[in-house]
Amino acid sequence: AAVGATSASGALPAFYNASTGCTFTANSPSGAIMDLAALPNNEAVVYATFAGQYLSTDQGASWTRVGDAVNPIQSVTALKGDSFALAGEFTTKELGYFGGVILSTDKGSTWTSYPIDGAQYVRYGAYPSDSTWYVTEGSWPSTGATDNANANAAEPFFVHASPDLASGGADLSANIRIGKGAPKRKQINLGVAGVAGVAGVAGGLRGSSSSGQAGTDYGYVANIWKTSDGGKTFAKVFSSEPTDAFYFNSISCGSETSCVAVAEGKVPSNSKIITYQTFAYHTSDGGKTWSQVFDGGDAYMSLLAVKMVSETEGWMGPSGLLPGSNTVAVTDFYQTTDGGATWSLGQTLQDCVAAEIDSADGLVMAACMGHFSSATVAVYK
């Protein structure tokens, strides 16, 4: 496996072997890695940064900038034995700025763009077949807009992992921050593999409750797009209401018709208490209808990761604070054995906020952001 770690000086991708653990490569270009994916046997590995994507075909001995896309790229996925798909917001010489997917079918050497007309906040993609793809779109308002008790602390409108030039950090989601800057009140504030700056978990969680004002437009976007013709055309198959206070993160599909998308958000109130929300939505009819199959209640603050291992088995990892603690992050790993329709708790890991879950050939791994600028890889056995 390959691991998309980041250090204080920039990208620090690592290669994982069951007998030796992770070996870091220190010769990669600078930049924070947003995501990384590898073809079988690490024949080709691609990671994405704010400055575009980089390719290695020699186990990390060297890295080459490929394609001309820039801007935030949230999701990198390896397909079959020779392809990579990247979902996010791009700027290319040919198309300018667009939200959508860029695809390579020659092991990362060349790339083709597939814009989604009307999508501005693309986050993650799932590609159950050559022709059928699903893409999540999501954005959230600034902290000041969703927190009336802190309304004077308005910030830029973060679309996923957009850099905050004032603080020198970046937001991976509305509730998780990497890099410099003081911790935001009641927000999971974590480092990624040695990112410089303040890191830790701030605030409380369990027992919190509040309700937003009825009919309020909270400023969230939560959409899911689908293509059935390999990216030529897209249709919106899920659209949130203005009164919904969540946005989508990862999506994973066990087949062309069965997918699970996870979401998070927070509801403001007139008090200092914020209600955090975590959800999972499931479709079994190719996106025609979606059912909410998980509601984290007040137990969790973030839900970034979901992965269908097969048509029936899958994992997701909602994260919050250990009961009774204001500093120890915890992820509860939930498992499905019926294609995503129902979920049950499988295992709990402390000092872990699961940023991603991935699987291949029976190996299931989770990337965990930890406490005080640390990060770990969790392996399911």
Side-chain angles (χ1 to χ4, degrees), residues 90-155:
F90 307 95
T91 299
T92 65
K93 295 177 181 178
E94 178 186 6
L95 298 176
Y97 175 84
F98 65 94
V101 173
I102 61 173
L103 178 71
S104 171
T105 58
D106 57 6
K107 301 181 181 179
S109 295
T110 60
W111 298 82
T112 303
S113 299
Y114 297 90
I116 302 175
D117 187 23
Q120 299 179 11
Y121 313 115
V122 173
R123 293 178 57 72
Y124 294 84
Y127 314 89
S129 71
D130 289 343
S131 59
T132 301
W133 311 342
Y134 295 82
V135 176
T136 61
E137 182 185 15
S139 66
W140 55 88
S142 69
T143 299
T146 59
D147 181 358
N148 293 341
N150 195 26
N152 292 327
E155 301 167 357

Side-chain angles (χ1 to χ4, degrees), residues 66-366:
V66 288
D68 68 343
V70 294
N71 277 357
I73 303 168
Q74 186 74 58
S75 170
V76 182
T77 305
L79 310 176
K80 301 185 300 182
D82 57 3
S83 302
F84 291 97
L86 280 61
E89 300 160 49
F90 307 95
T91 299
T92 65
K93 295 177 181 178
E94 178 186 6
L95 298 176
Y97 175 84
F98 65 94
V101 173
I102 61 173
L103 178 71
S104 171
T105 58
D106 57 6
K107 301 181 181 179
S109 295
T110 60
W111 298 82
T112 303
S113 299
Y114 297 90
I116 302 175
D117 187 23
Q120 299 179 11
Y121 313 115
V122 173
R123 293 178 57 72
Y124 294 84
Y127 314 89
S129 71
D130 289 343
S131 59
T132 301
W133 311 342
Y134 295 82
V135 176
T136 61
E137 182 185 15
S139 66
W140 55 88
S142 69
T143 299
T146 59
D147 181 358
N148 293 341
N150 195 26
N152 292 327
E155 301 167 357
F157 191 96
F158 287 112
V159 177
H160 57 79
S162 295
D164 181 350
L165 300 180
S167 70
D171 277 19
L172 179 62
S173 77
N175 303 321
I176 296 177
R177 182 166 188 76
I178 61 175
K180 299 179 180 179
K184 297 172 186 174
R185 185 178 57 79
K186 300 194 73 175
Q187 173 175 305
I188 299 178
N189 187 58
L190 297 165
V192 180
V195 173
V198 178
V201 182
L205 173 64
R206 284 169 170 77
S208 66
S209 63
S210 69
S211 60
Q213 298 176 358
T216 300
D217 186 341
Y218 291 124
Y220 285 84
V221 172
N223 298 325
I224 299 175
W225 299 79
K226 178 186 177 181
T227 177
S228 300
D229 53 19
K232 295 179 182 177
T233 60
F234 286 85
K236 190 184 295 184
V237 294
F238 186 108
S239 181
S240 61
E241 299 296 330
T243 52
D244 289 334
F246 66 86
Y247 56 92
F248 280 118
N249 287 313
S250 296
I251 185 169
S252 186
C253 302
S255 69
E256 287 188 334
T257 57
S258 179
C259 303
V260 179
V262 294
E264 63 180 41
K266 57 185 178 181
V267 180
S269 72
N270 292 323
S271 70
K272 293 184 179 180
I273 298 176
I274 300 172
T275 295
Y276 291 88
Q277 301 186 120
T278 51
F279 303 122
Y281 286 86
H282 172 251
T283 183
S284 59
D285 56 11
K288 295 178 182 178
T289 60
W290 294 82
S291 301
Q292 188 183 109
V293 292
F294 178 82
D295 182 347
D298 66 354
Y300 305 107
M301 298 173 75
S302 183
L303 178 48
L304 289 165
V306 63
K307 176 65 179 182
M308 292 304 300
V309 176
S310 68
E311 291 190 11
T312 56
E313 183 187 3
W315 292 89
M316 67 176 171
S319 304
L321 295 176
L322 188 68
S325 171
N326 287 329
T327 59
V328 180
V330 63
T331 288
D332 289 338
F333 289 94
Y334 282 79
Q335 184 182 30
T336 181
T337 56
D338 57 10
T342 61
W343 297 81
S344 59
L345 180 62
Q347 185 183 353
T348 297
L349 277 184
Q350 294 185 24
D351 198 22
C352 171
V353 172
E356 185 176 9
I357 301 173
D358 206 352
S359 174
D361 300 326
L363 174 66
V364 184
M365 303 178 73

